[in-house]
Amino acid sequence: MIEVSREKFEELVAEALDTIPPELTRVMDNVVVVVVDDPPEPGLLGLYTGIPLTERGDWYAGVLPDRIEIYRHPICTMCASESEVVEEVRITVVHEIAHHFGIDDDRLHELGW
């Protein structure tokens, strides 16, 4: 377990977002990424809540943003060094963004995520 301040953790999430290729970030729409200390249920490192891009149609308008939550405490608890936190944050951010693009957990696991 390693302690990472909320401010530093938010920086790590921002840095992970910066690694997403521009051709993908350009098509991300109506989504917010936030750091939350604790998940709503044990075992979660991140959570996507919303309507994936692949499921949106002409009816999609005037809705609240999708939400990607990255959970600080579980990630810090499972890591022994800051470099491990950096890597786990990156993996979690990519995983949750993939859900925004309509990629489910089974497919992510097939792809090695």
Side-chain angles (χ1 to χ4, degrees):
M1 177 177 171
I2 184 169
E3 180 60 37
V4 176
S5 71
R6 184 177 184 88
E7 181 179 296
K8 177 63 177 173
F9 195 88
E10 288 173 351
E11 289 174 15
L12 296 177
V13 170
E15 290 169 6
L17 288 167
D18 287 344
T19 68
I20 305 299
E23 57 270 18
L24 294 179
T25 58
R26 277 194 294 272
V27 295
M28 290 176 65
D29 184 44
N30 200 29
V31 60
V32 62
V33 179
V34 297
V35 170
V36 176
D37 285 339
D38 296 303
E41 60 186 71
L44 291 178
L45 303 179
L47 181 66
Y48 168 77
T49 306
I51 301 168
L53 295 174
T54 54
E55 295 179 18
R56 296 179 186 180
D58 293 337
W59 56 267
Y60 185 84
V63 298
L64 292 173
D66 291 3
R67 183 175 172 97
I68 292 173
E69 295 180 347
I70 308 298
Y71 300 116
R72 182 171 70 100
H73 288 154
I75 290 175
C76 291
T77 298
M78 70 182 289
C79 296
S81 68
E82 189 170 315
S83 63
E84 286 182 19
V85 173
V86 169
E87 181 63 14
E88 195 56 53
V89 165
R90 187 184 71 79
I91 290 168
T92 304
V93 166
V94 168
H95 184 100
E96 300 310 327
I97 287 174
H99 290 320
H100 177 68
F101 282 97
I103 302 171
D104 66 18
D105 282 330
D106 290 338
R107 182 64 180 139
L108 282 168
H109 292 292
E110 287 174 14
L111 296 170
W113 291 96

